[in-house]
Amino acid sequence: MPVTIKTEVQTSFYIIFSLEENILSKLKIIFAFFVLLFVVSGCERIADKVILPPDTTPAGTQPLTVMTYNVYVGSSAAPLLSVENLGQVPGQVATMYNNVMASDFPSRATAIAKSIKTSQPHIIGLQEISLIRRQSPGDFIPDNPTLAEEVVLDYLDILMNALQAEGLSYEVAAQVENIDVEMPMFTDVGIVDVRLTDYDVILSRSDVEISNPMSANYENALTIEMLGLVVKRGYAAVDATVAGVTYRVVNTHLEAFVEESRVAQTQELVDILSSETMPIILLGDFNTPAPDGTAYQMLLSAGYVDVWQMESEGTGNTCCQDGDLQNRVSRHYERIDQIFVRNLEIPDSVMTYTVGDKPADQLASGLWPSDHAGVVAQLTFE
């Protein structure tokens, strides 16, 4: 092509201007030089790797990136839930509260937001999004009508601000309120009431079309007789449209402490979604280890496909770091945070990986971002 262009230009110059032979030769040299620059420049542009932003994917491909992440309240509840008498409650509540404060969620939220920025998923399922409130002095009595309202930590607000600080635009698409419990704790100034409200939340990237949000609690719930406490858990769901395809996205956090409750909740979820014909993306902390967990096998039997790719780098294990998050080497030993799909053919192009579990992810303080790893699945449909 450059030779043809050069010949045509030469001919044009000769006919129009009837240039002398020596002048025409000089023009040919100059023009050839510029043609060479054009060709070289064009080759460089073609060779450059083109990185497309999320909203300019080439026609013919349909990308979908999703994430699930248990952000961790900051303390295990097991010692509190296993007290042998009510006199132990204020001391255990104080221990749990102090652990939560020491876990520094604002700093951890910044690290989690950076992981989200790297992957920029269309949809994120979050678990253990906590709202911690207190009342001082405390006036705790059973069925106390005066609930604690002074906000100490609002995990959702903190994380949304961290995402915004990273230049990201996400919105709350759906959420479910789980347990909402208030208990007394001992402090240096007397008894203070502490209230914990737990949520599971679905976030959507601002370019994802959202509709039909809903949430519900499972009928089956763990009951702690000693405390008169029902540990409510549930799920949130939403229709999310990405690249013209609408998915039913569901996020849940199944019971952690008693398998019987977890299995019953899994059966509820399977039954609830059994008539759904849209492609389902099921995200969550299922507290059932792959590949042998009872609830895990129940989901497979119900037609759900675990998208984790076994050839992915790493084991995919997602739990659990030490309760104080200070262990130097990751101690994840089981894979209980998972991404399932149903009514959806898995494409050939799937990339899955964990986040928040590499040494580089640890905060300067030594804390891990969470006791769990986040899980990302990137599916590209031709």
Side-chain angles (χ1 to χ4, degrees), residues 16-176:
I16 296 173
F17 297 104
S18 299
L19 296 175
E20 295 293 330
E21 184 67 23
N22 62 335
I23 298 176
L24 182 57
S25 297
K26 292 179 181 179
L27 285 174
K28 286 164 60 178
I29 294 171
I30 294 171
F31 187 75
F33 173 75
F34 281 105
V35 169
L36 178 62
L37 285 180
F38 173 80
V39 171
V40 172
S41 175
C43 290
E44 289 177 346
R45 285 197 294 270
I46 292 171
D48 285 345
K49 181 178 179 181
V50 178
I51 301 176
L52 298 174
D55 59 348
T56 58
T57 304
T61 63
Q62 174 204 315
L64 176 67
T65 304
V66 295
M67 170 187 280
T68 182
Y69 212 142
N70 181 328
V71 304
Y72 186 45
V73 63
S75 180
S76 170
L80 173 61
L81 298 182
S82 60
V83 296
E84 297 180 354
N85 63 76
L86 295 179
Q88 296 175 305
V89 169
Q92 289 294 345
V93 172
T95 297
M96 186 173 177
Y97 180 87
N98 291 334
N99 289 344
V100 169
M101 295 301 108
S103 77
D104 188 11
F105 184 72
S107 295
R108 294 194 290 114
T110 297
I112 292 169
K114 291 182 183 300
S115 292
I116 292 172
K117 183 176 184 179
T118 298
S119 302
Q120 297 199 33
H122 295 92
I123 294 288
I124 309 169
L126 300 170
Q127 304 86 43
E128 293 194 27
I129 294 293
S130 305
L131 175 59
I132 299 172
R133 290 169 282 190
R134 58 182 282 165
Q135 179 177 305
S136 181
D139 61 354
F140 178 82
I141 57 174
D143 299 320
N144 183 7
T146 306
L147 297 175
E149 296 294 348
E150 178 191 347
V151 175
V152 179
L153 290 171
D154 183 337
Y155 284 36
L156 183 57
D157 185 61
I158 292 168
L159 181 57
M160 296 302 284
N161 286 336
L163 291 171
Q164 187 175 26
E166 292 295 330
L168 303 176
S169 181
Y170 282 87
E171 302 168 354
V172 176
Q175 63 180 9
V176 60

Side-chain angles (χ1 to χ4, degrees), residues 339-354:
I339 298 173
F340 296 94
V341 299
R342 206 194 82 196
N343 303 337
L344 182 65
E345 184 176 350
I346 300 296
D348 293 333
S349 178
V350 179
M351 181 170 63
T352 55
Y353 52 94
T354 54

Side-chain angles (χ1 to χ4, degrees), residues 269-287:
L269 187 61
V270 166
D271 292 344
I272 289 164
L273 296 174
S274 61
S275 61
E276 181 59 70
T277 58
M278 283 195 300
I280 296 175
I281 309 294
L282 179 57
L283 311 167
D285 173 0
F286 296 89
N287 279 308

Side-chain angles (χ1 to χ4, degrees), residues 5 112 147-149 183 196 212 222 319 329 374:
I5 293 173
I112 292 169
L147 297 175
E149 296 294 348
M183 292 185 179
L196 169 65
N212 196 24
L222 174 64
C319 187
V329 178

